[in-house]
Amino acid sequence: MSSTCTGICTRPRRGTYRGSVRHHQAGTWGSIPPAAWSFMPAARERGLGTVRTTGNLPVEREFARALGIPYEEVVQAAFIPVAYTLGTDFRPARRIPRDQVLHGDHW
């Protein structure tokens, strides 16, 4: 079996944007989860399993060097490992009952 990894990166890294920092941050970081999510069901439709991970971030500089990403200019937002799955009999995962994890107006 083989696997690969898709990355989501963004520019600019430090202070090279135009406009307010708030607009830049909201526009940039607000679009990453939908982009990752759109990719993941598309892969699933093709028989591939995925997971969004940020496990690379503690070693972002090393990842950048290994992958040829210009670290000073590009921020690694997420990596999505992609591989063929073992079977296709997917089913809902066991979940903790909602009332044990969801609280309103109290802890």
Side-chain angles (χ1 to χ4, degrees):
M1 295 221 169
S2 64
S3 63
T4 188
C5 191
T6 296
I8 298 176
C9 298
T10 183
R11 286 182 188 250
R13 174 174 281 285
R14 296 179 181 89
T16 58
Y17 49 84
R18 286 185 262 163
S20 80
V21 173
R22 288 176 189 259
H23 291 153
H24 171 71
Q25 294 291 326
T28 298
W29 299 109
S31 63
I32 290 168
W37 175 249
S38 294
F39 173 79
M40 293 167 70
R44 177 71 237 137
E45 179 68 25
R46 290 158 178 82
L48 299 167
T50 61
V51 63
R52 181 177 174 211
T53 179
T54 55
N56 62 301
L57 296 179
V59 290
E60 183 182 6
R61 191 177 296 271
E62 291 84 352
F63 261 64
R65 190 177 319 111
L67 298 173
I69 298 170
Y71 178 80
E72 295 300 326
E73 301 169 29
V74 175
V75 176
Q76 300 166 42
F79 276 85
I80 303 171
V82 179
Y84 287 101
T85 62
L86 299 175
T88 58
D89 59 338
F90 295 102
R91 58 194 172 281
R94 287 182 291 142
R95 304 226 184 252
I96 298 170
R98 181 178 50 200
D99 60 345
Q100 291 182 22
V101 295
L102 180 65
H103 308 282
D105 295 329
H106 64 85
W107 182 248

